[in-house]
Amino acid sequence: MFSRDVLRIDAPAVAQEIEQAIRDQVFGTLRRRGAVVGLSGGIDSSVVSTLCVRALGKDKVLGLFMPERDTSDDALRLGKLLAEQLGIEAVIENIKPALTGLRCYERQDEAIRMVYPDYNESWKFKITLPSILESDRLNVSQLTAQPPGEEPRVKRMPLNAYLQLVAATNFKQRIRKMMEYYHADRLNYAAAGTPNLLEYDQGFFVKQGDGAADFKPIAHLYKTQVYALAEYIGVPADIRGRAPTTDTFSMPQGQDEFYFALPYDKMDLCLYAYNNKVPAAEAASAVGIKPEQVERVFKDIEAKRRVAQYLHAQPLLVRDQGHA
C-alpha cells in the first residue's frame, strides 16, 4: 500500500553517508581545503552547510550571504542564525550593485512593461503558473503585479516578455555563483551545490547559476527527506518552519506557484510514485488528490525532465578527445 512512509529515512545513517562522501570528495577527489556554501536562509542551504561543518569542521566552511534588492529580510536573518549556530565564518556580499551594472532590474522592468505598460518600480511582481489540479494547464505563465495600495493584477505573459523576464532574473543566480567561486578560488575551497532531488530531477535551477557546483550532497534526497535530515542534524526550527520560497521576485512566491505542480510534500510523493511505477490510482490517496490529477502531475514531470536534459547537458564537442 503506497503511503507517505515511502519517504522515511534513517536520518543518522543518511547523515553519516553524506558526511563521509563530502570528506572523500572535497579532500580527496577535488583536493580542496574546505567548502563554500551560499546561505539563503532556506532548508537546503542550511542542511548542506550543517553537513559540511559536520564533515569538514567549522574552520573549513565559509558561508556567503548574497542579498540584492528583492531579497527578503528573513533570508539574511535566518542565514545569520544558522552561521552563528554553526560557528562558521560568514561574509556578506551585496550583489545589487553588480546586478544594477548588468541592467538586471532595468531589463526586468522592460519585460514587465510588455504586459503592464504603466508599471513602475514601486510595484511588486512575481511569475506564477495556473493550477494543474483544475485542468491540463497550458505552459503559459502569468505575471502578477501589484501597484501600491491596490489589489494584485494577473495577466498571461506573451512568450517574449516571459523569456526576457526570466533571462534578466537569472543574472541573480549566476552572479551569486560567480561570487561563490571567487571565494572558493581564493581559499582553494570547493563550491557546494544545494539542490534536492526534486529540484535536480525537475530542472529547478539556473544553468551555470545555482546549477553549477563542485559537489551536490543532497541531490539524491527528496525535499521531505531533507526536512527529516534537518531535524536530526539540528537545523534551527525557524528555518525548518519556513515555507519553501524562490526569494527571487519582489512579491513573496512559493516554489509551487512558479515551477512545481504541487507543494513539495505532495510533489515528492508524485515523483516517487512516477519513479517507481506506482499507478496514479494507488498514489492518489497518499497524495490527497484525485487519480486524474496525479496523471496530470506525471505528465508535468515528464515535460520538466525534457527541459532538465538541456540544463544538465555538458557542452557539445565536435570530437570527444577522451575517446578519439
Side-chain angles (χ1 to χ4, degrees):
M1 185 69 181
F2 185 77
S3 74
R4 292 178 177 270
D5 290 344
V6 297
L7 296 176
R8 285 192 177 181
I9 59 170
D10 180 348
V14 170
Q16 184 178 24
E17 178 192 19
I18 295 174
E19 289 159 24
Q20 185 61 54
I22 291 172
R23 282 190 291 272
D24 292 344
Q25 291 169 355
V26 173
F27 294 149
T29 306
L30 298 170
R31 297 184 177 276
R32 294 297 185 266
R33 297 174 55 243
V36 173
V37 189
L39 300 177
S40 67
I43 192 71
D44 298 317
S45 66
S46 298
V47 166
V48 169
S49 301
T50 304
L51 290 169
C52 284
V53 168
R54 287 166 61 99
L56 308 174
K58 65 182 180 181
D59 60 327
K60 296 187 182 299
V61 178
L62 175 69
L64 291 184
F65 308 117
M66 294 172 282
E68 48 92 16
R69 184 190 70 179
D70 297 322
T71 302
S72 68
D73 294 338
D74 265 356
L76 194 56
R77 177 182 68 83
L78 293 174
K80 286 182 175 179
L81 174 68
L82 179 75
E84 289 170 4
Q85 175 175 297
L86 295 177
I88 63 174
E89 180 185 358
V91 177
I92 297 178
E93 295 279 10
N94 187 343
I95 64 170
K96 179 181 176 181
L99 293 171
T100 301
L102 290 166
R103 296 177 53 224
C104 166
Y105 305 120
E106 182 182 340
R107 296 175 205 267
Q108 285 184 320
D109 293 349
E110 288 175 355
I112 295 169
R113 289 193 187 99
M114 296 179 194
V115 184
Y116 299 101
D118 53 341
Y119 169 85
N120 64 61
E121 292 184 2
S122 69
W123 294 31
K124 303 292 186 183
F125 70 93
K126 63 181 176 181
I127 297 176
T128 60
L129 283 169
S131 173
I132 201 172
L133 298 182
E134 302 304 321
S135 62
D136 287 327
R137 69 183 178 196
L138 297 172
N139 285 322
V140 178
S141 294
Q142 299 170 328
L143 181 61
T144 299
Q146 184 174 23
E150 297 184 23
E151 291 297 311
R153 307 174 186 179
V154 181
K155 286 186 179 181
R156 288 174 61 173
M157 297 187 74
L159 182 60
N160 60 336
Y162 171 80
L163 291 175
Q164 179 169 329
L165 183 52
V166 170
T169 303
N170 286 351
F171 275 124
K172 299 181 180 185
Q173 286 79 9
R174 290 184 172 125
I175 288 294
R176 287 192 175 106
K177 191 56 64 172
M178 286 173 58
M179 191 62 71
E180 288 179 33
Y181 271 102
Y182 162 74
H183 286 283
D185 291 347
R186 177 177 67 85
L187 297 168
N188 196 26
Y189 278 14
T194 63
N196 56 65
L197 176 61
L198 190 58
E199 295 169 345
Y200 187 79
D201 180 279
Q202 293 289 278
F204 187 59
F205 57 85
V206 175
K207 191 166 188 175
Q208 305 305 332
D210 51 338
D214 295 317
F215 66 108
K216 298 181 180 182
I218 61 170
H220 62 296
L221 297 179
Y222 291 88
K223 186 113 182 174
T224 304
Q225 297 170 334
V226 174
Y227 274 98
L229 188 58
E231 183 174 7
Y232 168 71
I233 62 178
V235 170
D238 282 359
I239 294 175
R240 289 187 279 115
R242 184 191 189 203
T245 175
T246 63
D247 202 25
T248 296
F249 300 108
S250 55
M251 289 183 77
Q253 179 195 51
Q255 292 181 348
D256 54 311
E257 288 185 289
F258 176 57
Y259 196 78
F260 295 115
L262 298 169
Y264 80 87
D265 56 335
K266 297 178 184 294
M267 195 67 217
D268 275 352
L269 287 168
C270 286
L271 183 59
Y272 183 96
Y274 182 87
N275 286 340
N276 291 276
K277 297 181 171 54
V278 177
E282 185 178 343
S285 178
V287 179
I289 59 178
K290 298 175 182 178
E292 58 267 28
Q293 293 173 322
V294 175
E295 291 285 3
R296 291 185 202 129
V297 177
F298 284 175
K299 290 179 182 178
D300 198 58
I301 288 170
E302 293 171 353
K304 285 187 169 60
R305 278 191 174 165
R306 289 192 291 271
V307 173
Q309 287 178 359
Y310 163 74
L311 297 175
H312 285 293
Q314 296 297 309
L316 301 177
L317 306 176
V318 173
R319 292 184 180 179
D320 185 347
Q321 297 302 313
H323 299 85

